[in-house]
């Protein structure tokens, strides 16, 4: 399992394949908004602009925005979100919002003293802003709240590729890894905890109606197909991918259906947002299995309600371990994932993980039955790992993030 392979870099031509028509249109919006922002800054000298994803307000940006509105309402803060988002109304009741990707969003983005997001692409247009920021055309102050705890080497977040002014970390090992290997200047990386953890409490059943959450992470070479994708496998038909065969084989297994029925369990299969376009391929599964998709299901709520998590490499395993609930890793395509997506970082799943690593379907099913027999308790060895992993276990993550942002 000690594979030190790194994901191969995309060529300029392969990056060009990701450019869309709307990116070109945003160049003109930027050129129009830039001179206006110089004047507008005189009236809003300390504007904070916060966001998560364009169509979602459920991550660290939302929880920080909510905290500020409740505890520091005097702060000049705006949240960017699409008005068509199912979360728009909830954010609107808290404070001021702006239409994501609009001309006004560009003005606020260029005006803001702090641009704050849980996503690297949390900006009016990711492609245009990348050029402006990384190549030094636009010298703004950006805060990266993070989407999860970093476990792997992520070159797109290295300082030369992101140039964040403040990079939020949650644990000591993560902080050491990012500080030591991502190239950020001293003082740019801080350890404050994830804002959303203030609301991350276990509310699972602990009795009848136990729920199992199956939540694999995405596969970039499948969901964002370029000529590079075919270096790993034939992606022309999703049903022939290793990802589909591995997860479908498990979900459609007769033994799994028997386990669910005999123990009165419900299994919820929730793919990463980047893979949900392929949900229709998983139809026709057995009783007790539910296909969950965004926006009907909220990830954090699923994590709180479910009794067991089965994932592969997703950082949401850290959220589950934070609540000290049992989990399993199913890693049938380890080498492909390491070569095609994320290179190995400081976190080794067998040495550092919070559950057993299963490499095949039989091992996964056997481990599942063992957890059921043990009453859905996290084994003591993994509880000890969780105790040593987390720096903070309180309700002050938003407070620490807010204070760290104020200092820059």
């Amino acid at each position: 399992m000690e594979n030190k392979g790194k994901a191969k870099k995309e060529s300029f031509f392969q990056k060009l394949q990701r450019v869309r028509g709307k990116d070109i249109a945003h160049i003109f919006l930027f050129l129009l908004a830039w001179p206006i922002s110089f004047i507008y800054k005189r009236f809003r000298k300390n504007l904070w602009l916060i966001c998560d994803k364009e169509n979602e307000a459920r991550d660290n940006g939302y929880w920080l925005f909510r905290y500020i509105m409740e505890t520091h309402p005097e702060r000049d803060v705006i949240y960017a979100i699409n008005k068509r988002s199912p979360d728009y109304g909830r954010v609107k009741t808290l404070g001021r919002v702006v239409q994501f990707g609009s001309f006004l969003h560009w003005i606020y983005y260029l005006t803001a003293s702090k641009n704050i997001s849980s996503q690297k692409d949390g900006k009016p247009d990711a492609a245009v802003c990348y050029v402006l920021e990384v190549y030094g055309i636009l010298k703004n102050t950006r805060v990266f709240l993070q989407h999860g705890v970093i476990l792997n080497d992520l070159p797109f977040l290295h300082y030369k590729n992101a140039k964040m002014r403040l990079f939020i970390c949650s644990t000591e090992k993560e902080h050491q890894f990012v500080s030591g290997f991502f190239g950020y200047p001293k003082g740019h990386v801080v350890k404050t905890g994830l804002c959303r953890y203030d609301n991350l409490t276990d509310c699972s059943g602990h009795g009848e109606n136990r729920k199992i959450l199956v939540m694999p992470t995405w596969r970039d070479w499948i969901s964002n197909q370029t000529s590079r994708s075919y270096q790993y496998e034939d992606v022309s038909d999703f049903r022939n991918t290793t990802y589909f065969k591995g997860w479908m084989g498990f979900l459609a297994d007769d033994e799994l259906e028997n386990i669910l029925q005999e123990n009165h369990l419900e299994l919820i299969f929730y793919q990463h947002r980047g893979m949900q376009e392929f949900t229709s391929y998983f139809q026709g599964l057995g009783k007790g299995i539910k296909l969950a998709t965004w926006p009907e299901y909220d990830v954090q709520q699923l994590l709180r309600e479910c009794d067991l998590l089965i994932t592969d490499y997703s950082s949401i395993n850290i959220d589950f371990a934070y609540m000290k609930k049992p989990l399993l890793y199913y890693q049938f395509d380890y080498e492909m994932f390491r070569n095609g997506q994320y290179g190995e970082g400081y976190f080794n799943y067998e040495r550092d993980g919070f559950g057993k690593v299963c490499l095949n379907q039989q091992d996964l099913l056997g481990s599942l039955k063992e957890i059921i027999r043990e009453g859905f308790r996290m084994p003591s060895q993994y509880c000890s790992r969780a105790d040593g992993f987390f720096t903070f276990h309180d309700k002050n993550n938003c407070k620490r993030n807010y204070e760290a942002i104020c200092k820059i």
Side-chain angles (χ1 to χ4, degrees):
M1 187 66 79
E2 283 291 319
N3 186 326
K4 299 295 182 181
K6 293 184 177 180
K8 298 178 181 177
K9 294 182 179 179
E10 286 187 315
S11 67
F12 175 77
F13 173 71
Q14 289 163 345
K15 289 182 178 179
L16 198 61
Q17 294 176 43
R18 297 178 183 267
V19 175
R20 296 164 293 177
K22 79 176 189 67
D23 298 326
I24 307 301
H26 274 283
I27 294 176
F28 295 100
L29 289 178
F30 158 69
L31 292 173
L32 290 171
W34 200 357
I36 297 174
S37 69
F38 279 105
I39 300 173
Y40 199 51
K41 283 180 182 180
R42 298 180 182 179
F43 304 96
R44 306 185 76 166
K45 295 182 179 180
N46 198 20
L47 170 65
W48 288 15
L49 181 63
I50 303 179
C51 71
D52 289 304
K53 286 184 174 295
E54 175 180 352
N55 292 299
E56 183 176 298
R58 306 180 185 187
D59 211 331
N60 297 308
Y62 166 75
W63 289 104
L64 178 63
F65 182 69
R66 175 172 168 169
Y67 169 81
I68 294 173
M69 291 296 95
E70 292 176 349
T71 61
H72 301 280
E74 75 285 355
R75 175 69 64 182
D76 187 8
V77 183
I78 294 176
Y79 191 96
I81 186 170
N82 193 324
K83 291 182 179 179
R84 295 190 180 92
S85 166
D87 299 334
Y88 177 81
R90 179 159 46 84
V91 183
K92 179 67 174 175
T93 60
L94 293 175
R96 287 165 292 181
V97 298
V98 63
Q99 171 65 21
F100 197 103
S102 66
F103 180 57
L104 188 56
H105 188 189
W106 268 108
I107 293 176
Y108 288 156
Y109 187 76
L110 297 169
T111 299
S113 65
K114 309 285 193 305
N115 280 283
I116 307 164
S117 181
S118 61
Q119 309 292 327
K120 183 175 181 286
D121 58 356
K123 50 199 74 176
D125 183 83
V128 176
C129 289
Y130 173 83
V131 174
L132 295 174
E133 295 161 355
V134 174
Y135 290 96
I137 301 171
L138 178 62
K139 297 184 183 299
N140 60 357
T141 300
R142 282 168 291 116
V143 176
F144 183 46
L145 298 177
Q146 281 225 58
H147 174 58
V149 176
I150 289 176
L151 306 177
N152 307 298
D153 185 19
L154 308 177
F156 63 89
L157 290 179
H158 289 186
Y159 183 70
K160 64 180 180 180
N161 297 321
K163 295 190 176 177
M164 302 294 182
R165 175 55 186 87
L166 194 66
F167 196 117
I168 300 298
C169 288
S170 301
T171 72
E172 181 59 28
K173 289 184 178 180
E174 179 195 28
H175 183 261
Q176 291 178 0
F177 180 61
V178 174
S179 298
F181 295 98
F182 281 34
Y184 281 85
K186 185 177 180 180
H188 282 49
V189 182
V190 296
K191 183 176 58 177
T192 58
L194 296 180
C195 291
R196 70 169 185 260
Y197 279 11
D198 284 351
N199 190 54
L200 190 61
T201 54
D202 181 11
C203 59
S204 51
H206 301 296
E208 295 296 327
N209 303 316
R210 296 275 197 179
K211 296 179 181 179
I212 299 170
L213 176 61
V214 178
M215 192 174 175
T217 194
W218 65 317
R219 302 298 188 274
D220 182 58
W221 68 91
I222 297 176
S223 61
N224 295 309
Q225 294 182 18
T226 67
S227 56
R228 183 178 70 96
S229 301
Y230 291 86
Q231 297 176 17
Y232 311 110
E233 60 181 336
D234 183 1
V235 295
S236 59
D237 187 341
F238 177 71
R239 291 165 295 189
N240 291 330
T241 62
T242 305
Y243 171 91
F244 174 75
K245 291 178 179 178
W247 287 109
M248 188 62 174
F250 167 65
L251 295 171
D253 192 291
D254 291 338
E255 185 177 359
L256 174 63
E257 185 173 2
N258 292 334
I259 293 172
L260 297 178
Q261 290 185 8
E262 290 172 2
N263 295 279
H264 309 288
L265 303 173
E266 179 182 11
L267 185 149
I268 301 172
F269 182 57
Y270 187 98
Q271 293 189 95
H272 187 280
R273 286 280 299 280
M275 300 295 287
Q276 289 194 10
E277 62 181 290
F278 304 108
T279 298
S280 61
Y281 289 89
F282 291 94
Q283 300 292 339
L285 298 173
K287 294 180 180 179
I289 298 179
K290 179 183 294 184
L291 296 179
T293 57
W294 183 90
E296 290 78 17
Y297 289 83
D298 178 273
V299 172
Q300 189 172 37
Q301 191 62 26
L302 286 174
L303 293 173
R304 295 174 65 204
E305 292 178 352
C306 290
D307 301 89
L308 166 67
L309 170 69
I310 299 175
T311 187
D312 44 18
Y313 320 98
S314 175
S315 64
I316 54 106
N317 84 92
I318 305 299
D319 297 50
F320 219 71
Y322 183 83
M323 296 181 284
K324 288 190 176 179
K325 297 198 286 187
L327 60 98
L328 295 169
Y329 302 100
Y330 187 29
Q331 300 181 346
F332 52 83
D333 61 346
Y334 185 84
E335 291 188 9
M336 184 180 291
F337 182 81
R338 286 298 182 207
N339 292 323
Q341 191 148 317
Y342 296 147
E344 188 171 287
Y346 68 91
F347 191 90
N348 179 284
Y349 290 90
E350 291 186 334
R351 181 192 64 222
D352 308 313
F354 307 102
K356 184 177 179 181
V357 176
C358 303
L359 303 180
N360 58 66
Q361 196 168 307
Q362 291 70 32
D363 193 13
L364 179 60
L365 289 167
S367 300
L368 171 59
K369 288 188 284 188
E370 183 176 353
I371 288 179
I372 294 172
R373 285 195 299 269
E374 294 298 320
F376 290 89
R377 290 190 298 270
M378 175 182 269
S380 58
Q381 70 182 96
Y382 301 123
C383 284
S384 298
R385 288 184 185 179
D387 288 336
F389 186 77
F390 294 102
T391 302
F392 309 108
H393 212 293
D394 55 28
K395 301 296 183 183
N396 297 318
N397 296 284
C398 287
K399 182 176 184 291
R400 284 189 291 268
N401 275 259
Y402 176 78
E403 292 174 349
I405 296 170
C406 287
K407 291 178 181 179
I408 60 173

